[in-house]
Amino acid sequence: MATPSIFYAGEPEQYAKTVLMPGDPMRAKFIAETYLENFEQISNIRGIPVYTGTYKGKRLTVTASGMGCPSMGIYSHDLYEYLGVESIIRVGTAGGIHPDLDVRDIVIGQASCTTSNFDNQFRLPGRFAPIADFGLLKAAVEQAEKMNLTYKVGNLFCADYFYDDAQSVADWQKVGVLAVEMESAALYTNAARFGKKALCIATVSDCPLVGKFSTPEECERDFTNMMVLALEIAQ
């Protein structure tokens, strides 16, 4: 029986139980070509390629989420609900907010503050607090220590906008938020909704409050530490 998803081709058995999910389709391609053995492309609908292969004997799928909660909400929903995926590890970029963070540092998202209305669909009598899976979080911290990485664990700010006209990012710094990105809240919320696992690992690509920025090419191909970190903890 064909999957009800209109965003993915293939059958559930072609998808691994763990998915690595960058935002950028080209980063997904880079991860597959660089790290996976015997991989095959199993879907490419709307320019979102999906690759399944093995890493050190572990079967993994790599695909992209696109940008923002609406896009992440769609793709993670279908992976969890229709394609048998149990864990999604986001490997993305983020803007460093915390003063101790620098470009190329790694942020492991324990939870996600957000301006998104993604959780409104559940008609909860309050605001939902999206959090990471503790097992994945613990494994990521232990692996980061083994790799001697520079990292921080804590709150992310998941924004519904990229260009911050009000320059409100500084306000999130006041309450200890580490970095800003655009997908973690939808990913963590969908994982909770479907009883699955999720973790967001991000490399700091820029520090907007102090004017440090990476190039698009660096964002696509050079932030390999977080890729290896995610690959190593994938179950």
Side-chain angles (χ1 to χ4, degrees), residues 88-232:
I88 296 176
I89 303 173
R90 165 165 155 70
V91 281
T93 55
I97 298 174
H98 195 281
D100 292 343
L101 284 171
D102 201 353
V103 172
R104 294 182 179 272
D105 289 349
I106 289 176
V107 175
I108 302 171
Q110 184 174 12
S112 180
C113 308
T114 188
T115 52
S116 173
N117 290 320
F118 187 80
D119 66 343
N120 283 2
Q121 63 183 297
F122 303 112
R123 295 176 294 177
L124 300 169
R127 294 306 305 270
F128 179 73
I131 61 172
D133 175 76
F134 179 75
L136 288 176
L137 180 71
K138 182 173 181 288
V141 171
E142 291 173 349
Q143 183 62 35
E145 289 288 337
K146 290 179 184 178
M147 295 172 64
N148 294 316
L149 301 180
T150 302
Y151 71 94
K152 280 190 173 295
V153 180
N155 253 332
L156 300 170
F157 166 47
C158 183
D160 259 355
Y161 42 79
F162 184 84
Y163 297 106
D164 181 19
D165 196 66
Q167 298 184 352
S168 62
V169 168
D171 295 328
W172 292 99
Q173 186 188 64
K174 298 175 186 176
V175 291
V177 170
L178 299 181
V180 56
E181 50 85 67
M182 300 180 68
E183 291 80 36
S184 58
L187 174 59
Y188 288 180
T189 300
N190 271 350
R193 172 64 181 86
F194 293 108
K196 302 298 179 76
K197 300 177 181 180
L199 179 66
C200 178
I201 302 171
T203 300
V204 175
S205 59
D206 60 282
C207 298
L209 297 178
V210 295
K212 288 186 177 181
F213 300 94
S214 301
T215 67
E217 292 77 18
E218 288 173 326
C219 291
E220 180 184 313
R221 305 182 70 89
D222 291 354
F223 297 159
T224 55
N225 281 337
M226 70 169 171
M227 300 175 192
V228 174
L229 173 58
L231 287 161
E232 288 291 332

Side-chain angles (χ1 to χ4, degrees), residues 6-77:
I6 63 172
F7 300 102
Y8 290 111
E11 300 299 325
E13 57 267 23
Q14 295 178 278
Y15 291 74
K17 295 300 182 183
T18 297
V19 171
L20 267 61
M21 184 174 264
D24 182 1
M26 293 304 295
R27 191 182 302 130
K29 183 173 185 286
F30 175 81
I31 293 171
E33 292 179 342
T34 305
Y35 298 107
L36 296 188
E37 297 180 347
N38 303 315
F39 71 89
E40 62 174 342
Q41 183 173 320
I42 57 177
S43 180
N44 193 27
I45 296 174
R46 294 174 176 252
I48 299 293
V50 182
Y51 309 93
T52 295
T54 60
Y55 175 79
K56 295 184 177 180
K58 297 183 292 188
R59 189 166 180 262
L60 298 173
T61 292
V62 181
T63 185
S65 68
M67 292 188 288
C69 281
S71 186
M72 172 59 86
I74 290 169
Y75 290 115
S76 62
H77 173 282

